[in-house]
Amino acid sequence: MGDILARETPIDEMIECALEELLSGSKEQRRTLVRRMCLRWPSEPALSIIFSLTSAAAIIEDNLSQDSEDDSGGVADRAYRLAAVLAADIYAVECMHRKPPLARDLLHFWRRVDGYFSGL
């Protein structure tokens, strides 16, 4: 069998981005992560952002939170909270008859209805 090329998919890039931003140590980067992800991947399903945040949080918990000197547990909790609030916004967009919502739909929703993520 020939060599299989590992290709990075958008979701892989999103998880990597979430990990980098969450572990950057910058509170500002953590605060604006969801909005910036929507801007970077506007054509991706909105649920992929939730998936990437929860995946990044799980990776942080599994691999980094064993070091009691860092704040990775708090970072993972922050990622889970962001994913939970984002899930509510995605549900609201779906109720407005946009199924499945894309990341760009969230940007529009935040400008028109709920500025939580755009106002961070």
Side-chain angles (χ1 to χ4, degrees), residues 34 49-51 53-54 78-88 117:
V34 172
I49 298 170
I50 290 177
F51 182 83
L53 288 170
T54 55
R78 172 76 171 162
Y80 287 130
R81 284 192 303 273
L82 289 171
V85 174
L86 182 57
F117 284 110

Side-chain angles (χ1 to χ4, degrees), residues 43-98:
S43 298
E44 291 300 312
L47 286 174
S48 64
I49 298 170
I50 290 177
F51 182 83
S52 64
L53 288 170
T54 55
S55 295
I59 290 168
I60 291 167
E61 282 182 332
D62 291 346
N63 296 301
L64 303 175
S65 63
Q66 294 156 8
D67 181 2
S68 61
E69 304 216 3
D70 66 18
D71 184 36
S72 58
V75 171
D77 290 345
R78 172 76 171 162
Y80 287 130
R81 284 192 303 273
L82 289 171
V85 174
L86 182 57
D89 286 356
I90 291 171
Y91 180 73
V93 172
E94 283 184 354
C95 288
M96 295 175 179
H97 310 290
R98 177 64 178 145

Side-chain angles (χ1 to χ4, degrees), residues 34-49:
V34 172
R35 180 178 172 274
R36 285 184 292 112
M37 290 180 76
C38 287
L39 288 168
R40 185 169 172 187
W41 292 283
S43 298
E44 291 300 312
L47 286 174
S48 64
I49 298 170

